Amino acid sequence: MSGFILVDRKTAYLMPPSLEDWLNEDHLARFIVEVIDQLDLSNLTRRYAGRGSKAYHPSMLLGILVYGYASGIFSSRRLERATYDSVAFRFIAAGSHPDHDTLATFRRRFLAEVVDVFMQVLELAKEMHLLKLGTISLDGTKIHANASRHSALSHGHIEKLEVQLKAEVQELLALAEQADQADVPDGANLPEEIKRREDRLSVMADATRKIAARAEERFQREKAEYEEKMARRAAKEKEAGKKLGGKPPKAPEPGPRASDQINLTDEQSRIMPVSGGGFEQCYNAQASADVATLLVVATHVTQAPNDKEQVAPMLALVKAQSEVLGMPNCLLADTGYCSEKNILACEAAQLTPFIAVARDQHHPDWRERHSEPAPLPPNTTAVQSMAHRLKTKAGRAQYALRKQTIEPVFGIIKSVMGFRQFSLRGLANVNGEWSLVCLAWNLKRMAVLRPKFG
């Protein structure tokens, strides 16, 4: 029929096609290649010995990984397949096809160097006048570990299971010594059954030792906190000249608790509460983002399920980067970060903190939004000063920026980019992978910001 455009898959090209013609000029893959070509990758290239067959260049493998994370492809096998199926990946790989083992090995081998690449990209963003770094917003999100929570064993369950398995081993040994094994079910291999239980007991013994080591670390930490509280209580009693009312702090107890758990697949991950209810095997991924541009400026991953102790590590990271990126002047965080210690730490770092001291009401009286609080009385605590600051019009306007900064970043990373579970295991590895995720986010964001600020 003459009314349709002709579809012809048989005619060969008269001239070889060019990959340059297959992508739009503003395509993200082009931007990623352009940025990576400007980076100093000598920390990666010098790790190659130069022996054997020629290796793929780190800039190309890094480009495949970054574009993969930016477009929701994290599996090395899917990345290999994409170099055949996707024009964008073909462009980055320049028509070559690194196999999945090469990509997985490269990712695992150079995770530590990704942190340096992350910093170089931020430095480039500053040179391009994309990074403002005046106010930063801090928050954390739970990312699933590459392990099931059903692979976790609690100390109490291990104790019960050890009794059961030891009794079964003794029973099987007794059956094996009998000349007449009529009581043995058909198809049962006694040596294999015994070995299976002994292997399980060995794994549980190792898990018990690790749980005990964690419990000792916790006891020493809680003991130091208890002694500090008792010293403060004694000082107050001495100042008042009488004993304080109320119950004194309870001394911590040594040893593991029945609820202490360890995961046999990824022992460094932890059971954590997740949004929507329930508990999952997770890591707590922290990030601080520039309010003006939504670029992530610092990252780290912690095993702690709450955020209370994460201000100091983030401030240390921001301060370490300040010579290159500059120092922000404000920090926004939700009530999960609120403590007097964290407020004082921000002030010591010369950042004005805006940390919520309590959850906001969903429907406050309209007069509150148009009124200023009464002046602060003298000798107020750091938390009281923070609460007063957040009640001012300027404070409310500043804190309101938090929800439109870091929460959209996490939302896009998890829902649009599709990153909800780490591919790697172990705290050091997931720290590197989280930096890779945020690097991919920053490049996506820079590609959007470049026309706006350029």
Side-chain angles (χ1 to χ4, degrees):
M1 295 176 64
S2 60
F4 295 105
I5 296 174
L6 178 65
V7 177
D8 183 2
R9 299 185 182 91
K10 302 296 184 182
T11 302
Y13 287 99
L14 295 177
M15 298 291 290
S18 171
L19 287 173
E20 287 287 338
D21 299 333
W22 288 5
L23 284 181
N24 297 332
E25 288 296 327
D26 58 350
H27 198 280
L28 177 61
R30 284 185 182 273
F31 182 72
I32 287 174
V33 169
E34 179 185 333
V35 169
I36 289 177
D37 285 346
Q38 299 180 55
L39 302 180
D40 178 10
L41 301 181
S42 57
N43 286 341
L44 282 70
T45 55
R46 69 165 63 102
R47 296 272 299 277
Y48 288 82
R51 298 186 295 272
S53 58
K54 288 187 176 181
Y56 291 108
H57 198 278
S59 62
M60 187 265 282
L61 298 176
L62 180 62
I64 291 175
L65 280 178
V66 171
Y67 185 73
Y69 274 80
S71 54
I73 302 176
F74 316 114
S75 160
S76 57
R77 292 181 183 274
R78 289 185 62 202
L79 288 171
E80 176 189 359
R81 195 180 312 123
T83 62
Y84 292 92
D85 299 342
S86 165
V87 172
F89 278 100
R90 276 181 173 268
F91 174 82
I92 296 171
S96 61
H97 307 285
D99 62 73
H100 64 271
D101 188 56
T102 299
L103 292 165
T105 302
F106 176 83
R107 175 170 55 185
R108 187 170 56 250
R109 183 182 180 187
F110 293 107
L111 279 174
E113 284 74 14
V114 169
V115 178
D116 176 62
V117 174
F118 178 82
M119 275 300 303
Q120 288 191 56
V121 169
L122 286 175
E123 190 174 0
L124 181 62
K126 185 178 180 183
E127 292 175 3
M128 295 169 66
H129 305 289
L130 302 182
L131 182 62
K132 304 304 178 184
L133 206 63
T135 300
I136 59 173
S137 182
L138 169 63
D139 206 351
T141 186
K142 306 300 192 301
I143 303 289
H144 286 241
N146 189 2
S148 168
R149 61 187 174 89
H150 300 294
S151 299
L153 283 178
S154 68
H155 187 264
H157 185 60
I158 288 174
E159 289 181 327
K160 294 177 182 177
L161 204 55
E162 279 181 335
V163 173
Q164 176 186 337
L165 290 175
K166 286 177 180 177
E168 289 178 358
V169 168
Q170 293 302 318
E171 181 186 359
L172 290 167
L173 286 172
L175 285 172
E177 291 175 358
Q178 294 176 7
D180 180 15
Q181 297 186 0
D183 294 335
V184 179
D186 293 339
N189 187 312
L190 292 181
E192 288 181 2
E193 294 292 338
I194 293 170
K195 184 178 184 304
R196 186 178 299 115
R197 282 155 179 78
E198 288 178 340
D199 290 345
R200 186 68 170 172
L201 284 168
S202 175
V203 169
M204 290 193 300
D206 185 47
T208 301
R209 286 192 296 271
K210 291 175 180 177
I211 289 175
R214 288 185 191 174
E216 179 61 24
E217 290 178 8
R218 180 184 62 214
F219 173 70
Q220 295 299 330
R221 183 176 64 254
E222 291 178 349
K223 182 182 176 183
E225 293 172 356
Y226 169 75
E227 291 172 350
E228 183 182 350
K229 288 178 182 177
M230 291 302 293
R232 288 201 302 266
R233 186 179 178 88
K236 289 180 180 179
E237 288 178 346
K238 184 177 180 181
E239 183 181 349
K242 61 179 182 179
K243 285 194 173 183
L244 297 177
K247 292 182 179 180
K250 185 180 179 180
E253 296 180 0
R257 301 164 186 164
S259 59
D260 288 347
Q261 292 186 341
I262 188 168
N263 192 283
L264 301 181
T265 305
D266 183 358
E267 65 184 51
Q268 293 186 317
S269 62
R270 298 289 186 268
I271 292 282
M272 298 184 184
V274 294
S275 60
F279 294 82
E280 294 293 343
Q281 201 75 30
C282 294
Y283 287 95
N284 186 354
Q286 299 281 314
S288 56
D290 177 36
V291 165
T293 60
L294 305 191
L295 292 173
V296 174
V297 297
T299 69
H300 79 277
V301 178
T302 178
Q303 298 163 309
N306 61 62
D307 300 326
K308 192 74 73 177
E309 300 298 325
Q310 305 314 314
V311 169
M314 191 59 72
L315 288 177
L317 286 171
V318 171
K319 189 173 182 180
Q321 299 168 181
S322 60
E323 291 186 7
V324 176
L325 304 179
M327 195 72 180
N329 50 42
C330 291
L331 181 138
L332 314 178
D334 64 21
T335 185
Y337 295 89
C338 185
S339 72
E340 186 171 18
K341 182 177 73 172
N342 289 340
I343 294 169
L344 294 175
C346 290
E347 292 173 351
Q350 298 182 340
L351 272 76
T352 303
F354 291 85
I355 304 175
V357 297
R359 290 184 177 275
D360 292 334
Q361 295 179 1
H362 285 293
H363 302 288
D365 187 87
W366 65 272
R367 293 177 183 82
E368 292 183 18
R369 295 186 289 111
H370 300 282
S371 61
E372 293 285 352
L376 267 176
N379 301 323
T380 55
T381 65
V383 176
Q384 289 171 336
S385 298
M386 172 61 63
H388 182 272
R389 183 183 303 137
L390 290 171
K391 288 179 181 178
T392 64
K393 288 182 180 180
R396 289 195 298 268
Q398 187 76 341
Y399 182 74
L401 299 173
R402 187 194 67 81
K403 279 190 176 181
Q404 65 192 55
T405 303
I406 192 64
E407 291 187 7
V409 171
F410 287 153
I412 294 171
I413 285 175
K414 296 176 85 169
S415 297
V416 178
M417 293 167 58
F419 186 80
R420 293 179 175 273
Q421 177 176 314
F422 288 108
S423 301
L424 306 176
R425 294 169 181 156
L427 185 59
N429 288 336
V430 299
N431 253 305
E433 190 174 8
W434 182 237
S435 295
L436 182 59
V437 172
C438 293
L439 169 64
W441 158 257
N442 280 349
L443 286 169
K444 279 177 70 78
R445 185 65 185 156
M446 287 168 64
V448 173
L449 293 171
R450 182 172 58 166
K452 180 179 177 181
F453 290 98

